[in-house]
Amino acid sequence: MSDTILTDPKSVGMDPKQLERAYTLIEGWTESGFMPFASLHVARHGQTVAHRAFGRITVAPGGPAAARDSIFIIASITKPTTYTALLRLVDEGIVSLSDPVARFIPEFAAESSMNGPNRNAVQIRHIMTHTSGLPDMVPNNVLLRRQHAPFATFIEHISRVPLLFAPGTNISYQSAGTALTAEVVQRVRGKPLREVLAAEVFSPLGMDDTTLGWNPEKEARIVEASRPSHLGGSDYDHNSLYWREFGAPWGGLFSTVGDISRFIEMYRNGGTLDGARILSPATAAAMLSDQTDAMPGIPAPKKLEEGWGLGFRLFRRANPHYFGDLLTPGSFGHTGSTGTFTWCDPSKDLTAVFFCNQLHERVQHEFQVLSNTIAAAVRD
């Protein structure tokens, strides 16, 4: 939020000069045009030490300057918020992680015997840990978007797609599982996920600029996202009216770096923030614990390079991704294809959120070196 109070980095054991190195990196990227927009939020011990915006909010030159409260479509960082809505059902005793998905979506397993591995074996835990065997998205994902298909149509196609492997025997990133998670929440609550998240997560946490799907009243603050080549210039890409209104539970969240920092801080604090209890301490801890390590069917080398809690990726030294090289085991986070990342290192009490409008596939090195400069600022 634009009125965020900044804390002197020295007062929370961080080196201001080292943080300046992070700012210098970002300024170089935005001034060169490599990423027209960027926004950074860093907190330690729950205190904000950095909250800056760089560049402009449009990809074309000459657009309005970015602001600290600029709103961005954050792509797959949406996923942990969707999983949070389901974990509230776990707290309430309505859903168990061991429940089969078909208990809530019967059509998901209706044709299981004709489509490879048994979909009756897919549990809630599997769709929250990328171990379900589902593909990332259905093969005709682009066609459905081109046709401006509604969410219900995506669920129909996901419920018929064959599994790539038996549940719990491998890890393969799957937005389709997040879509099923959202559908479970919607069927149990009897209302759209966007309404559930607004009432149960975003409003209590004071995430005033966060919505699943856009808020047209805040259009002037929305950053233009870079267009993937397979969607570029279309009426169904990230900047299209269709996709803004769609509110994909796997990638349609609009938010600011300040708001997402509050969401991450809630997990760092064991499910609560500023008096708002979102999850029980036990459920929040389960979200951040290594779920995939406990699955005996997953090959050991795979576990060494990739691990998931209930929606957050866990830091692995063998394959650090956007976390960089300096975080410690137990660190958790997520990234988004539109050029976003967030992570938290609980042992350092350090949280970072970074948004830009360069495609994630093109900024993996930049994300790593930026994370390194932030982590290196911790002095005690």
Side-chain angles (χ1 to χ4, degrees):
M1 293 180 287
S2 59
D3 57 351
T4 299
I5 298 174
L6 292 177
T7 296
D8 181 356
K10 292 181 180 179
S11 70
V12 291
M14 296 189 74
D15 181 358
K17 292 183 178 179
Q18 179 64 31
L19 282 176
E20 287 291 340
R21 291 178 176 172
Y23 307 148
T24 299
L25 283 175
I26 301 170
E27 286 169 350
W29 299 332
T30 56
E31 290 174 2
S32 71
F34 176 62
M35 53 177 73
F37 165 87
S39 187
L40 175 69
H41 190 285
V42 179
R44 188 159 198 235
H45 304 321
Q47 304 297 310
T48 300
V49 297
H51 192 190
R52 293 194 182 187
F54 307 80
R56 56 188 183 278
I57 68 174
T58 60
V59 175
R68 296 193 303 176
D69 63 352
S70 291
I71 298 171
F72 194 70
I73 183 168
I74 63 174
S76 287
I77 297 179
T78 305
K79 289 180 171 71
T81 68
T82 298
Y83 296 133
T84 299
L86 190 140
L87 286 177
R88 287 177 57 83
L89 300 179
V90 174
D91 270 342
E92 294 173 21
I94 300 173
V95 175
S96 166
L97 296 178
S98 298
D99 285 338
V101 171
R103 172 171 291 180
F104 304 95
I105 309 175
E107 63 270 30
F108 176 70
E111 302 176 33
S112 185
S113 61
M114 296 182 289
N115 288 283
N118 187 357
R119 288 204 296 274
N120 279 297
V122 178
Q123 301 175 1
I124 297 296
R125 178 180 286 104
H126 295 137
I127 62 174
M128 298 181 72
T129 56
H130 304 280
T131 59
S132 67
L134 287 163
D136 183 23
M137 281 304 303
V138 290
N140 56 349
N141 172 51
V142 174
L143 176 61
L144 293 179
R145 288 178 64 157
R146 185 181 299 128
Q147 295 173 340
H148 292 190
F151 179 66
T153 301
F154 280 83
I155 294 298
E156 291 174 6
H157 284 256
I158 293 169
S159 295
R160 295 194 300 266
V161 68
L163 299 183
L164 303 175
F165 51 83
T169 63
N170 206 344
I171 303 173
S172 182
Y173 190 80
Q174 35 98 89
S175 297
T178 314
L180 292 176
T181 302
E183 184 66 4
V184 171
V185 173
Q186 293 185 153
R187 294 193 184 191
V188 172
R189 292 296 195 212
K191 61 181 68 174
L193 179 67
R194 68 185 66 198
E195 295 181 13
V196 175
L197 287 173
E200 300 184 12
V201 181
F202 303 150
S203 180
L205 289 177
M207 297 170 64
D208 301 331
D209 288 322
T210 302
T211 54
L212 185 60
W214 76 324
N215 180 348
E217 296 179 359
K218 299 184 179 184
E219 180 179 9
R221 292 166 52 197
I222 295 176
V223 176
E224 182 182 358
S226 293
R227 292 175 167 86
S229 57
H230 69 290
L231 296 177
S234 72
D235 65 349
Y236 52 89
D237 67 17
H238 291 105
N239 300 307
S240 68
L241 179 60
Y242 161 68
W243 200 247
R244 287 184 172 192
E245 292 180 340
F246 186 89
W250 61 87
L253 202 70
F254 285 77
S255 191
T256 63
V257 289
D259 274 11
I260 293 303
S261 181
R262 292 187 63 79
F263 178 73
I264 299 299
E265 286 292 314
M266 177 269 290
Y267 273 103
R268 187 185 66 84
N269 287 322
T272 187
L273 185 67
D274 295 341
R277 168 68 63 185
I278 306 301
L279 295 170
S280 69
T283 304
M287 177 82 160
L288 309 181
S289 65
D290 195 333
Q291 300 287 326
T292 49
D293 188 57
M295 297 182 184
I298 300 175
K302 186 67 175 179
K303 293 179 181 180
L304 185 64
E305 69 175 23
E306 187 170 3
W308 288 88
L310 295 171
F312 282 116
R313 184 186 289 273
L314 305 179
F315 172 68
R316 290 287 195 267
R317 293 197 186 279
N319 191 16
H321 290 279
Y322 51 91
F323 292 105
D325 309 297
L326 306 180
L327 300 188
T328 58
S331 298
F332 63 92
H334 216 287
T335 188
S337 63
T338 49
T340 62
F341 77 73
T342 182
W343 51 251
C344 176
D345 186 333
S347 71
K348 289 183 168 65
D349 234 2
L350 181 67
T351 298
V353 186
F354 180 72
F355 297 168
C356 75
N357 55 352
Q358 179 56 276
L359 298 175
H360 175 262
E361 63 197 51
R362 300 176 183 171
V363 291
Q364 295 185 45
H365 168 74
E366 285 76 13
F367 280 8
Q368 290 172 354
V369 296
L370 178 60
S371 291
N372 284 344
T373 60
I374 294 168
V378 174
R379 290 293 187 260
D380 62 29

